[in-house]
Amino acid sequence: MDQPADQASIDESDEYWDEVADRFEQFDWLNSADEPAHELYLSLAVQAETTIAEPTEVSRQQIEDAVCWARREGMRWDRIAEILGVTAPAARARYGEAAKAVRA
């Protein structure tokens, strides 16, 4: 029996957040103290999204928020792009306006 669309969305969101929680629990916090929190957040958001069948609105928003925080903290587009697995121009094209709005 098919689940209602709303229930399917909730299940996908739950799956995403379960994965985020697992990543945080498994993360080696002691050996990553030199890595800034905004960089860790972006890395974990990207890793978590790769574990779900398809990106969701929640996972996409999580990554956008992480990119905005990283830019606010001064992270360069080339580093953000490296974490995202895209080119710097592609990262800037996708997230530049949102990041600019947050920095203003």
Side-chain angles (χ1 to χ4, degrees):
M1 184 164 118
D2 290 336
Q3 296 176 336
D6 291 350
Q7 185 61 45
S9 259
I10 290 169
D11 290 346
E12 285 178 6
S13 182
D14 286 348
E15 179 183 332
Y16 173 77
W17 287 112
D18 286 346
E19 183 60 33
V20 170
D22 288 346
R23 297 277 180 175
F24 274 103
E25 289 169 3
Q26 295 170 8
F27 192 77
D28 186 3
W29 295 100
L30 294 176
N31 293 321
S32 64
D34 294 334
E35 196 170 2
H38 57 274
E39 190 167 336
L40 291 174
Y41 182 59
L42 178 56
S43 296
L44 290 170
V46 170
Q47 288 173 21
E49 188 179 66
T50 65
T51 65
I52 57 178
E54 288 187 37
T56 64
E57 184 177 331
V58 171
S59 67
R60 286 188 293 267
Q61 185 62 53
Q62 192 74 22
I63 291 173
E64 183 175 301
D65 292 347
V67 169
C68 289
W69 182 22
R71 289 295 298 155
R72 193 171 49 248
E73 294 297 320
M75 185 182 284
R76 296 174 46 96
W77 282 112
D78 58 341
R79 179 64 183 132
I80 291 170
E82 182 181 344
I83 294 169
L84 294 172
V86 299
T87 65
R92 194 173 17 257
R94 170 66 179 91
Y95 299 105
E97 287 302 313
K100 197 183 307 182
V102 171
R103 291 184 87 177

